[in-house]
Amino acid sequence: MQVDIKTSDIRPIRQTFSHIARRFGADKPASRYQEATYDLQPEVNFHYRPLWEPGFELYDTRRTAVVMRDWYAFKDPRHYYYGTYTQARARQQEAQESALEFVDRRGLLREAPGEVRQRIEELVLPLRHYEWGANMNNCYVTAYGYGAAITQAAQYQSMDRLGLAQYLSRIGLLLDGNQGASLARAKQHWLGSPEWQGLRREMENLFVTKDWFEVFVAQDLVLDGLVYPLVFQALERELSAATGNGFGMSVEFMRDWHGENLRWVDACMKTAAEESPENAALLSGWVKDWVARGKETLAPWAAVAFGAQGAAQLDEAVSALRQRAAKCQVAV
């Protein structure tokens, strides 16, 4: 008996969802990122105005001074939607957990010289409270922002900040053998040490900043653009050498995360600035203001961390941030 195997070409009736087809064309297959991102923002049929701000709709483009013709112009270059985001973070978490286990097993932080452990406790661990504040600020962007293209990424950003705070807490536990005393002392440094009060003040100022895009600029571009190079690059080089690279292994996720995250932040800034001269001028004013405040805020911390080289280290971080802003078409 002879069996003839034939193939049939089955063409799908529809390539994607209707709202995606209206944006990109009916004959073009859509990516998962496009289907999970575009045109998901509720725009009509709101039942009530928010009682706390009746001058606005529940979702309202007027909550920021930035004006966009299309709020879905804010593409995430990482193409993160829930699936790709969780897969990427799972791989990173697995690698970071292995690094922390190695540091713990070898006692690289626990058995470091007392002066080194004290520097980590005083100059790094208080950032767990900064990360909690960054979580709050990005939650605000998520809640009051407009367009799923930017609010979706801001939500992932807010969850990342909780993870970063937890990793900083893990470093504290590695320092004191899981006793938690270092974390309690780090909290008191955040609340009372002079070198932290400027940053703490600006974080609290952001809690009451109304314009959600300004919060995004101040937190994710400016403050992160100064804090991360200072702590997880400049200071990390010094502390890693004194801990047999134990500290460097413990903050590997922070360095990788910041390098990845700035791609999204810079893309959003460039998109907003190129939309109109008015947007570019507005962003320029915000960046100039927050860079000046950030430099003043971090000067005491840099002086304690780097001594006589503190001002130079801070100037280097500010210069790099200004170069980033210039590439995003934002004059500083």
Side-chain angles (χ1 to χ4, degrees):
M1 181 179 66
Q2 181 177 357
V3 177
D4 293 329
I5 300 177
K6 297 181 179 180
T7 59
S8 298
D9 184 13
I10 302 176
R11 297 182 178 274
I13 298 176
R14 300 174 58 183
Q15 297 285 358
T16 185
F17 300 103
S18 297
H19 66 284
I20 301 297
R22 285 192 294 270
R23 178 177 284 272
F24 297 106
D27 296 330
K28 182 179 179 181
S31 69
R32 290 293 180 89
Y33 171 73
Q34 291 172 332
E35 292 181 340
T37 303
Y38 285 92
D39 296 321
L40 299 182
Q41 173 68 57
E43 295 179 348
V44 295
N45 299 327
F46 301 143
H47 291 198
Y48 58 87
R49 288 177 179 267
L51 300 178
W52 61 93
E53 283 183 327
F56 293 101
E57 294 285 358
L58 194 59
Y59 303 104
D60 202 317
T61 59
R62 296 173 298 158
R63 290 185 182 276
T64 177
V66 171
V67 178
M68 300 291 295
R69 289 188 297 271
D70 180 10
W71 284 95
Y72 287 91
F74 293 107
K75 300 179 181 67
D76 186 347
R78 305 166 299 180
H79 285 191
Y80 275 171
Y81 63 95
Y82 184 77
T84 51
Y85 166 75
T86 53
Q87 290 170 9
R89 292 294 180 264
R91 289 192 297 269
Q92 290 173 301
Q93 182 179 14
E94 184 177 352
Q96 186 62 34
E97 289 293 332
S98 297
L100 291 173
E101 182 181 350
F102 179 87
V103 172
D104 186 24
R105 188 168 61 249
R106 300 298 176 92
L108 296 180
L109 295 184
R110 187 172 57 253
E111 298 174 7
E115 179 185 353
V116 175
R117 286 187 282 113
Q118 184 176 356
R119 291 189 72 196
I120 296 174
E121 184 179 295
E122 294 178 357
L123 297 172
V124 180
L125 293 190
L127 284 173
R128 59 200 289 263
H129 304 285
Y130 168 81
E131 293 296 347
W132 176 83
N135 164 265
M136 294 288 289
N137 290 329
N138 280 282
C139 280
Y140 183 83
V141 174
T142 303
Y144 291 100
Y146 197 88
I150 193 168
T151 58
Q152 171 180 240
Q155 180 62 61
Y156 299 151
Q157 170 90 332
S158 69
M159 298 309 298
D160 284 343
R161 308 317 284 254
L162 288 182
L164 289 161
Q166 291 172 349
Y167 278 139
L168 288 164
S169 300
R170 291 281 297 279
I171 293 172
L173 296 176
L174 291 174
L175 283 175
D176 62 19
N178 292 322
Q179 298 301 308
S182 63
L183 299 180
R185 290 191 294 268
K187 180 178 180 180
Q188 295 309 310
H189 287 303
W190 175 257
L191 294 175
S193 294
E195 64 268 22
W196 287 109
Q197 298 318 297
L199 184 58
R200 180 182 165 211
R201 179 187 65 247
E202 296 306 337
M203 293 301 291
E204 293 178 358
N205 285 336
L206 278 177
F207 291 165
V208 293
T209 300
K210 285 292 187 180
D211 192 304
W212 63 266
F213 209 100
E214 183 181 1
V215 174
F216 166 77
V217 170
Q219 176 66 72
D220 297 329
L221 175 70
V222 178
L223 292 182
D224 284 355
L226 296 176
V227 168
Y228 272 76
L230 285 171
V231 179
F232 299 113
Q233 294 179 21
L235 184 61
E236 181 269 330
R237 287 191 292 267
E238 295 185 12
L239 294 175
S240 288
T243 58
N245 287 326
F247 183 74
M249 294 177 67
S250 301
V251 298
E252 185 72 20
F253 176 82
M254 288 74 158
R255 288 196 304 271
D256 291 346
W257 176 85
H258 179 63
E260 171 206 287
N261 190 64
L262 62 82
R263 294 173 54 213
W264 167 64
V265 174
D266 290 1
C268 290
M269 290 293 296
K270 186 175 183 180
T271 298
E274 290 179 341
E275 177 74 10
S276 68
E278 293 77 14
N279 279 0
L282 179 66
L283 295 175
S284 177
W286 282 340
V287 173
K288 288 179 181 178
D289 177 41
W290 281 100
V291 166
R293 293 162 71 170
K295 185 176 181 179
E296 179 184 0
T297 289
L298 289 168
W301 182 93
V304 174
F306 304 109
Q309 296 299 315
Q313 291 284 5
L314 182 56
D315 286 342
E316 183 179 339
V318 170
S319 176
L321 179 58
R322 285 174 172 157
Q323 291 176 17
R324 278 181 60 196
K327 290 180 180 179
C328 299
Q329 312 303 318
V330 176
V332 182

